[in-house]
Amino acid sequence: MSDREVLRREMEQTLSPPGERPDSSTVITRRTFLHKSLLYGTAGAAAYGLFPILNTIDLAFGQAGQSFKFAWISDTHLYPKNVNTRFVEKAVRAFKEVQEMNPPADFLIFGGDLGQLGDPVELQLGADLLKEVKLKKVFIPGEHDWYLDMGATWNKMFGKAPWSFDHKGVRFIGLDTISHAEDFWTARKMSAKDRMGHMATLDGTLGGAWAGVGAEQLKWLNGALASWPKNQPVVVFSHNPLYEYYPPWNFWVRDWREVHEILKPFSNVTNVHGHTHQVLYNEIGKMRSIGMLATSWPWPYAPEGLPALTQPMIRADPGDHFDGVGWSGLTMTANARVENEYKMWRKEVFAVAPPDSGSEDNRNQILSPRLADRI
Ligand SMILES: [Fe+2]
Ligand SMILES: [Fe+2]
């Protein structure tokens, strides 16, 4: 057995002891159905056509709580209006739909990549469009918002992460997973625009494994959860997934093992993340991760490492820029279950795959490709 295989086995034993899953009382249901969007009232069905609810995931938190809704929008990737209005149109539509949610959402989490190249014009445009949403709004940054001026404009306009707040029995946490890139620019004497340009590519080129939580924030996270009861729900928002999906595209955080160590004592942890722009679901130990859609464009699935628990969506029609994108409405039901509903703007969304493969038992799942261990 190679050293890497030994390490992989050891990690799987540590992270996923036999029978360990998020909340042992939970049954995951995957309901795939189409329904006419009557939820959206007069402006709804005719204008938007069919809204699929796909990959609906019920998360049993095991504790009675109050029913409430919240919404996630991310990855709008706005360009200045004189460059491109396509992404503006979709952001406007998503903001409008969130505002029209009925019953209303208690808050909107914006999950990063508001702008495309961190241009203050883009971020201001985003802030202006977001005025349509009159709800409480909380923000975490994406790499596209950050690397032109290292977060100066973002922090001023939208506030600093990390943060936490409690809402109706749930502790919500927002992390910054994007500001910890190794400095690849100073020695190369790059301009701020060059630096941003390299960070705005999918494969990271010079940016490398930039996604991470960092020692200081890990300490903060530990403190933020220190007094929280172990069986109370915790929802962690992050731009990047808090596990290893595909490191070459930074579909991970490099210190996800340390994150997991901190979250491990809690039985009801849900990570909701952006950045991957696709339908995505995974479980690592007791933590669930749900990937959100972008409003801008869908990324392809990574060439390897797709979690076995994900039922992938089909490739979007490149001629239809409303295909494969959208936002999410999340509900914490009265019996303390959370449902994630992907609000997509087109109906043909699922790839053909063995139904519910892996959803009954994740012991056969390869948790991740461990690409980082190969690098
Ligand atoms: Fe993005
Ligand atoms: Fe991103």
Side-chain angles (χ1 to χ4, degrees), residues 216-292:
E216 203 181 312
Q217 196 174 206
L218 285 166
K219 213 168 132 196
W220 176 89
L221 179 62
N222 206 18
L225 288 169
S227 61
W228 193 245
K230 302 287 183 279
N231 59 350
Q232 284 278 110
V234 178
V235 176
V236 185
F237 297 121
S238 56
H239 185 65
N240 304 75
L242 296 179
Y243 64 94
E244 183 184 302
Y245 166 14
Y246 193 63
W249 295 352
N250 280 283
F251 285 8
W252 76 332
V253 288
R254 61 186 180 233
D255 44 7
W256 65 271
R257 294 172 187 84
E258 286 86 345
V259 176
H260 183 89
E261 278 304 310
I262 293 170
L263 296 174
K264 210 161 67 169
F266 298 89
S267 57
N268 300 313
V269 181
T270 307
N271 168 220
V272 181
H273 69 83
H275 187 61
T276 51
H277 300 203
Q278 58 197 227
V279 168
L280 202 60
Y281 180 74
N282 199 15
E283 296 175 0
I284 298 286
K286 290 179 193 150
M287 181 181 77
R288 293 192 163 85
S289 281
I290 312 175
M292 298 282 111

Side-chain angles (χ1 to χ4, degrees), residues 74-77 112-113 143-144 239 274-277 294 296-297 299:
S74 72
D75 298 279
T76 46
H77 290 269
D113 287 353
E143 77 280 13
H144 289 253
H239 185 65
H275 187 61
T276 51
H277 300 203
S296 52
W297 65 79
W299 283 125

Side-chain angles (χ1 to χ4, degrees), residues 293-360:
L293 301 167
T295 61
S296 52
W297 65 79
W299 283 125
Y301 284 101
E304 56 180 310
L306 182 67
L309 291 167
T310 293
Q311 182 162 6
M313 61 190 200
I314 56 170
R315 217 187 156 112
D317 175 357
D320 177 357
H321 68 268
F322 281 92
D323 196 11
V325 295
W327 53 282
S328 257
L330 297 109
T331 308
M332 177 82 70
T333 64
N335 61 350
R337 296 168 76 87
V338 167
E339 290 189 352
N340 171 46
E341 185 180 331
Y342 290 115
K343 308 279 193 177
M344 297 186 99
W345 290 317
R346 294 294 181 261
K347 61 175 178 163
E348 302 293 341
V349 288
F350 267 131
V352 176
D356 291 343
S357 59
S359 63
E360 292 303 311

